[in-house]
Amino acid sequence: EAQVTQNPRYLITVTGKKLTVTCSQNMNHEYMSWYRQDPGLGLRQIYYSMNVEVTDKGDVPEGYKVSRKEKRNFPLILESPSPNQTSLYFCASRTSGGRTQYFGPGTRLTVL
Amino acid sequence: AQSVAQPEDQVNVAEGNPLTVKCTYSVSGNPYLFWYVQYPNRGLQFLLKYITGDNLVKGSYGFEAEFNKSQTSFHLKKPSALVSDSALYFCAVRVVYGNKLVFGAGTILRVKS
């Protein structure tokens, strides 16, 4: 089944404790991206990647890092999480020429 | 800069009545337009998209949307609402050949029986 998977689905952590949210897609998509969803703000793009080893900042990249060492994986790294990063995070992917992005199930992160 | 406006935080409709969820956009260039739906505790599901061609686009679950270039709108519609349509709906826009998908703030649709 074609899908985007994220792990973990739920995470509660404390300020300053490094964490990684994994994202994987099995559709051989070149383009992957991370969004955060906050009430009243919709989804905002954090980072995106056009292909392996090619990443760029989205609208709200501060406090986040990403890497794209393999085509299928696009982990989101929070080196020192803070409470304002409490949010619902979505990973998405599409082909380089594709019009439609496909989203993962989301990761609900709480930073205390 | 791209932007999307969903002017209604919430839309309330009686089951069986037609529904409209509004979306207007602003881009420099030709747009790709999308509607996504999010059910409680679920991810985003793709509903429909406008790329080019016919201004009336039909999508999943009986939804349709009309692209209006002069009004820069892409309103989501359904002739007869179901209680199971109750969810959070997002409109999104991407410039052709662009990398960024910009979302509106979302509209909660509540359909009451």
Side-chain angles (χ1 to χ4, degrees), chain B residues 48-90:
Chain B
L48 52 79
K49 65 186 176 190
Y50 170 81
I51 302 300
T52 186
D54 193 349
N55 289 344
L56 184 64
V57 178
K58 294 189 184 295
S60 306
Y61 311 122
F63 283 93
E64 57 188 30
E66 186 165 13
F67 171 62
N68 187 316
K69 188 172 183 178
S70 63
Q71 297 186 2
T72 60
S73 66
F74 190 56
H75 301 331
L76 182 70
K77 300 182 179 184
K78 187 173 182 180
S80 179
L82 300 172
V83 172
S84 57
D85 293 329
S86 298
L88 178 58
Y89 291 80
F90 289 102

Side-chain angles (χ1 to χ4, degrees), chain B residues 81-111:
Chain B
L82 300 172
V83 172
S84 57
D85 293 329
S86 298
L88 178 58
Y89 291 80
F90 289 102
C91 181
V93 65
R94 177 159 78 91
V95 178
V96 175
Y97 303 121
N99 293 325
K100 185 191 301 185
L101 188 63
V102 175
F103 284 82
T107 298
I108 297 170
L109 172 66
R110 294 201 194 282
V111 182

Side-chain angles (χ1 to χ4, degrees), chain A residues 7-94:
Chain A
N7 283 292
R9 295 288 314 278
Y10 303 91
L11 179 61
I12 300 175
T13 189
V14 295
T15 300
K17 185 176 182 182
K18 181 180 178 180
L19 66 92
T20 299
V21 184
T22 65
C23 172
S24 184
Q25 49 91 6
N26 62 1
M27 296 170 278
N28 202 35
H29 287 172
E30 291 82 14
Y31 180 96
M32 298 183 74
S33 61
W34 276 102
Y35 296 85
R36 60 177 289 173
Q37 180 184 354
D38 301 290
L41 297 176
L43 278 79
R44 294 176 293 166
Q45 191 179 51
I46 303 171
Y47 269 94
Y48 67 93
S49 169
M50 297 298 293
N51 213 323
V52 175
E53 302 290 5
V54 182
T55 63
D56 206 349
K57 297 177 181 178
D59 291 322
V60 288
E62 295 78 18
Y64 304 95
K65 286 175 58 177
V66 293
S67 69
R68 187 89 182 274
K69 293 181 168 46
E70 303 166 285
K71 197 172 186 180
R72 64 183 290 124
N73 296 323
F74 190 45
L76 179 69
I77 303 156
L78 285 72
E79 295 270 2
S80 183
S82 62
N84 64 11
Q85 292 178 298
T86 292
S87 188
L88 179 58
Y89 291 86
F90 288 102
C91 180
S93 74
R94 62 172 170 83

Side-chain angles (χ1 to χ4, degrees), chain B residues 10-25:
Chain B
Q10 183 166 318
V11 171
N12 297 310
V13 177
E15 187 174 33
N17 283 1
L19 69 88
T20 298
V21 182
K22 295 180 180 177
C23 171
T24 59
Y25 66 91

